[in-house]
Amino acid sequence: MHIKASIHLAAIAALSAGTLAHASLVTNSGGFPNPTTYDFSAYSGCTNYGAACGAPPQTLIGTSILFTGTPGFSGSALYNAAWALNANGNWDSARNGFAGNNGRVPGDFARFTFGTPLSAVGGFFDYIPGNFNGAPFTILAYGAGGGLLESYDIEAFAPISTPGATNAGAFRGITRASADILAFEFRNGVSVMDDLTFSARAAQVPEPTLLALLGVGLIGMGLGRRFRSSPNLR
């Protein structure tokens, strides 16, 4: 009885874990199926905040990506000049165009809204480390109706450290089990992003729930055989 109860509880736990495992913070785009990358080179000549840089309230980049964000100096822009990141160094015009969020006020953001639902999205980032404005540098994914799907505090879970470097950083992104991401955002801290990378097709991988339940079933079968063969089992 205790053995059966333990197997049942393990199966329930596996089911719960599997149903929660639909998304992931990723540090490279290697698992993105058929990825597309937008490098912001169209803004290589942009050296100012404001309309000259195609800044918010809205700018169409590529063919179907809408860039929006916090307006003004303490806000976001498409850019191509010096952008200081304190301990993490800086970016300059050699990056040949990038998106930036000046992030002086908590909640300042830069967002990309897509015409096609995505299963994975991310970019090459850097930022001022140390919770610069009292709120952590965060990446977020939104779905239908603007509903929040995922939010990750990068400084807590996957910090980027590029002490004193120029144009350095690291990839950070979000993947989902299905294509339901309609917008991607980075917010807080003084931050920059290049090489926006995304995929509209979900990777063909087994469902976590199915794998977990299969493993539990195999363990249960093994335990059952073991106890049935024991001479002391009553």
Side-chain angles (χ1 to χ4, degrees), residues 42-58:
Y43 299 94
S44 61
C46 182
T47 57
N48 299 295
Y49 291 98
C53 293
Q58 60 183 25

Side-chain angles (χ1 to χ4, degrees), residues 37-41 61 65 67 77-80 83 85 91 95-102 110-112 114 121-127 137 139 160 168-173 184-187 190-198:
T37 298
Y38 185 84
D39 66 3
F40 300 97
S41 59
I61 61 176
I65 306 170
F67 174 71
L78 301 174
Y79 204 64
N80 194 50
W83 198 296
L85 300 169
W91 279 17
R95 282 221 64 90
N96 200 31
F98 53 88
N101 176 32
N102 208 18
R111 180 183 298 179
F112 302 89
F114 302 90
V121 61
F124 185 81
F125 286 102
D126 211 341
Y127 56 84
F137 174 69
I139 62 173
I160 297 171
F171 187 90
R172 297 292 182 265
F184 178 66
E185 176 181 301
F186 61 102
R187 65 166 56 194
V190 173
S191 50
V192 283
M193 189 200 76
D194 201 357
D195 297 336
L196 176 67
T197 303
F198 50 92

Side-chain angles (χ1 to χ4, degrees), residues 1-232:
M1 293 292 291
H2 293 299
I3 298 167
K4 290 182 179 178
S6 297
I7 294 172
H8 290 163
L9 288 174
I12 292 170
L15 179 61
S16 298
T19 54
L20 292 174
H22 289 303
S24 177
L25 169 66
V26 294
T27 56
N28 66 76
S29 60
F32 286 22
N34 298 328
T36 297
T37 298
Y38 185 84
D39 66 3
F40 300 97
S41 59
Y43 299 94
S44 61
C46 182
T47 57
N48 299 295
Y49 291 98
C53 293
Q58 60 183 25
T59 300
L60 189 67
I61 61 176
T63 57
S64 60
I65 306 170
L66 185 65
F67 174 71
T68 57
T70 305
F73 178 77
S74 183
S76 54
L78 301 174
Y79 204 64
N80 194 50
W83 198 296
L85 300 169
N86 290 1
N88 271 2
N90 65 85
W91 279 17
D92 61 25
S93 58
R95 282 221 64 90
N96 200 31
F98 53 88
N101 176 32
N102 208 18
R104 302 282 171 169
V105 178
D108 284 353
F109 70 95
R111 180 183 298 179
F112 302 89
T113 302
F114 302 90
T116 300
L118 307 176
S119 63
V121 61
F124 185 81
F125 286 102
D126 211 341
Y127 56 84
I128 289 181
N131 212 4
F132 177 76
N133 64 3
F137 174 69
T138 304
I139 62 173
L140 310 94
Y142 298 89
L148 179 64
L149 298 174
E150 305 294 332
S151 175
Y152 292 101
D153 175 345
I154 297 302
E155 294 200 62
F157 295 105
I160 297 171
S161 179
T162 59
T166 300
N167 294 326
F171 187 90
R172 297 292 182 265
I174 295 171
T175 62
R176 300 274 293 176
S178 59
D180 58 359
I181 300 172
L182 291 174
F184 178 66
E185 176 181 301
F186 61 102
R187 65 166 56 194
N188 301 327
V190 173
S191 50
V192 283
M193 189 200 76
D194 201 357
D195 297 336
L196 176 67
T197 303
F198 50 92
S199 177
R201 183 168 63 83
Q204 297 300 307
V205 297
E207 278 291 329
T209 299
L210 178 60
L211 290 177
L213 290 177
L214 179 60
V216 169
L218 292 174
I219 292 170
M221 289 170 63
L223 286 173
R225 290 196 189 98
R226 178 181 173 186
F227 277 86
R228 280 196 299 272
S229 62
S230 174
N232 297 319

